Amino acid sequence: ALGAGVLLLAVACGGSGSTAVGAKSDEVRAALEARLLGKKLSYRWVVCVRTKRSFAGSPIFRCNVNFGEPHIVRYCATLEAGQFITNREQPEMRCGRDAAP
């Protein structure tokens, strides 16, 4: 469990070495999970899917977070230059409804 927490922190802090172009849904999910844990929020699961949209040249992912029955919250998120950003910080970021194949 400790190793997973360190990995989550590394991804959230941009320590993974990945760029926005190479961002993958599991990296975005891990960064969102790290942020939720950092805010001491309890959740059951997080699922992120890449959309057809982008924000400042970075792909946008639609993430659903289950905070317990039936409380599911949607986040739009991306990794821009190694920094994790959601629509909470950038309200103009939109997920849309379409997921890329």
Side-chain angles (χ1 to χ4, degrees), residues 24-33 36 45-51 60-67 72-78 84-88 95:
K24 304 213 181 319
S25 61
D26 59 336
E27 294 172 320
V28 173
R29 178 188 46 76
L32 179 54
E33 287 177 344
L36 296 172
W45 49 257
V46 176
V47 175
C48 296
V49 177
R50 186 174 175 168
T51 69
I60 294 176
F61 294 81
R62 183 184 66 244
C63 299
N64 291 331
V65 179
N66 182 345
F67 287 102
I72 296 176
V73 176
R74 180 175 78 171
Y75 291 84
C76 299
T78 192
F84 179 68
I85 302 169
T86 72
N87 58 318
R88 302 307 194 257
C95 293

